[in-house]
Amino acid sequence: SFKIDSVGTGTGVLGDVKSLNTDKQGNTYYLQDNTRGDGIFTYDGENVHQRILDRSLRQIMRYLPGTLWSDSDNVFNSSYDNAAVDAHYYAGLVYDYYLEKFNRDSFDNQGAAIKSTVHFGRNYNNAGWLGEPLNQMMYGDGDGVNWLPFSGAYDVIAHEITHAVTDRTANLLYQNQSGAINEAMSDIFGVLAENWAGLGPDWLMGEDIYTPNIPGDALRSLADPTLFGDPDHMDDFVQLPNTREGDWGGVHINSGIINKTAYLLSEGGNHGGVTVNGVGQDNMGDIFYRSLTQYLTESSTFSQLRSAAEQSATDLYGANSSAVTSVQQAFDAVGIN
Ligand SMILES: O=C(O)[C@H](CCc1ccccc1)CC1(C(=O)N[C@@H](Cc2c[nH]c3ccccc23)C(=O)O)CCCC1
Ligand SMILES: [Ca+2]
Ligand SMILES: [Ca+2]
Ligand SMILES: [Zn+2]
């Protein structure tokens, strides 16, 4: 069927109203945004997680992506709609971020369709990027106490889409130091994208969907990872087994060291006995984006990230630029040589 672009409105997880690019087919409106790349598609998982017996990816694949979200009047204002509204709207904003800031057309730089499944599971307290062969995001509803529906946070959606960018570029192995860099890249561009959209500025991850009854906390902090129990220096690198229980060698924990590095490079500060002269968010983002897309590989270590960032800063600003010095200061400050 040929596409008819329409514009609807919807209410997000936090009760905010926003306009949505939809697709009109007959008298039905779908959460299909035809204005960006090969499209942005949002699906109803219909609580698939509860229907999967063994929770295996093979089982999940039988049910995902679910049903393309449809509505009869192009007004998505029921509570069941909230998670879909934000998944759809924020995915479009993340597409715009990568296109405007890095001239990257979707996560594969070839306009790949961006697909999200919400209502992946009632009380399912997580979200994620499901790589090959699904190549889509999924969002749990959260338990309502510790978590709201995960698509309600722009930085979470930018985090997940950045996993897709990483998969198509450095393809950093999701374990140990390469996995912690993978995680940090998603947190860093999650925060930068949110600040770019004017929905911050903060250096926190997931604050909009984390513990709705407790203000001011978050899943992670890039400015001070230790606020939520993550390390901010190599002296505190956490050795964990490369298992699910060990968070694949602590990828969501040791990412704090790289997150802190990015924060210091951007904002400057004194840490680990070192003074860092900040270069600002845009320049930090350019240095980390160039590292991710031009120099890092599957097995890159923290030390190789330092080399990649120094080379990227040299490429962008010159060998004797203050930016190169700032990169060296930032990595010195967290003890990465
Ligand atoms: O993308 C990621 O890194 C996380 C996806 C984890 C995942 C991996 C493989 C299959 C399924 C899910 C999801 C997010 C995450 O950081 N999850 C952490 C923290 C977390 C979320 N829900 C939890 C429940 C219990 C404990 C920890 C958590 C984790 O999975 O560790 C990213 C932003 C918010 C949720
Ligand atoms: Ca945030
Ligand atoms: Ca909270
Ligand atoms: Zn992640």
Side-chain angles (χ1 to χ4, degrees):
S1 68
F2 62 96
K3 300 163 186 168
I4 297 183
D5 297 358
S6 49
V7 178
T9 62
T11 308
V13 169
L14 300 181
D16 49 331
V17 178
K18 49 202 80 175
S19 29
L20 303 167
N21 289 312
T22 59
D23 182 71
K24 186 175 187 298
Q25 295 176 27
N27 293 325
T28 304
Y29 298 88
Y30 293 91
L31 287 186
Q32 174 177 328
D33 175 354
N34 302 312
T35 71
R36 294 174 166 107
D38 291 342
I40 294 177
F41 302 79
T42 303
Y43 299 84
D44 186 354
E46 297 165 59
N47 198 19
V48 66
H49 189 255
Q50 253 75 22
R51 287 186 278 134
I52 294 165
L53 307 178
D54 61 4
R55 300 207 181 347
S56 68
L57 193 58
R58 187 178 47 77
Q59 274 275 350
I60 291 174
M61 281 169 54
R62 283 181 49 205
Y63 291 99
L64 287 185
T67 314
L68 186 64
W69 202 279
S70 68
D71 187 90
S72 58
D73 62 3
N74 218 10
V75 177
F76 301 76
N77 59 359
S78 79
S79 56
Y80 195 72
D81 292 332
N82 296 157
V85 165
D86 281 341
H88 198 66
Y89 179 79
Y90 289 142
L93 276 191
V94 176
Y95 175 90
D96 294 349
Y97 170 73
Y98 272 106
L99 189 63
E100 182 177 313
K101 293 302 285 184
F102 305 110
N103 193 29
R104 185 180 193 88
D105 183 7
S106 193
F107 54 85
D108 68 345
N109 202 18
Q110 297 170 62
I114 294 174
K115 300 184 288 184
S116 308
T117 296
V118 297
H119 296 308
F120 177 75
R122 242 194 326 272
N123 293 320
Y124 183 70
N125 289 332
N126 221 329
W129 167 257
L130 303 174
E132 297 295 348
L134 285 165
N135 288 311
Q136 64 157 100
M137 289 170 277
M138 55 87 174
Y139 297 97
D141 286 345
D143 57 20
V145 175
N146 298 307
W147 310 91
L148 289 178
F150 279 71
S151 57
Y154 178 88
D155 55 15
V156 168
I157 293 179
H159 178 110
E160 300 307 347
I161 293 176
T162 300
H163 276 310
V165 172
T166 297
D167 285 0
R168 302 308 174 95
T169 54
N171 194 23
L172 288 154
L173 278 177
Y174 204 64
Q175 63 187 47
N176 306 325
Q177 286 198 4
S178 55
I181 299 171
N182 185 320
E183 266 305 300
M185 288 291 180
S186 278
D187 280 354
I188 291 161
F189 290 106
V191 164
L192 289 180
E194 189 172 77
N195 293 348
W196 169 83
L199 297 171
D202 65 50
W203 288 90
L204 299 170
M205 264 301 303
E207 69 281 353
D208 288 342
I209 51 106
Y210 189 65
T211 61
N213 304 315
I214 303 171
D217 62 349
L219 180 54
R220 292 185 286 273
S221 166
L222 283 72
D224 182 4
T226 67
L227 275 179
F228 307 113
D230 299 318
D232 62 0
H233 193 281
M234 278 310 282
D235 290 350
D236 304 311
F237 186 95
V238 177
Q239 291 290 355
L240 282 169
N242 179 21
T243 62
R244 177 183 301 281
E245 297 70 30
D247 189 32
W248 312 113
V251 299
H252 292 98
I253 298 164
N254 294 309
S255 54
I257 297 165
I258 306 304
N259 284 344
K260 182 72 178 187
T261 308
Y263 170 77
L264 287 168
L265 179 58
S266 173
E267 304 301 296
N270 295 301
H271 186 66
V274 176
T275 298
V276 184
N277 298 312
V279 302
Q281 290 188 42
D282 285 347
N283 294 322
M284 182 273 282
D286 291 343
I287 291 166
F288 272 79
Y289 181 78
R290 186 171 182 82
S291 299
L292 179 66
T293 57
Q294 301 293 330
Y295 293 109
L296 295 178
T297 65
E298 290 189 357
S299 59
S300 290
T301 64
F302 283 8
S303 178
Q304 288 167 324
L305 171 61
R306 174 177 177 140
S307 304
E310 287 177 1
Q311 186 58 54
S312 296
T314 301
D315 299 342
L316 292 166
Y317 312 104
N320 305 313
S321 63
S322 60
V324 172
T325 306
S326 292
V327 168
Q328 292 164 342
Q329 291 165 345
F331 280 91
D332 285 345
V334 298
I336 296 173
N337 305 308

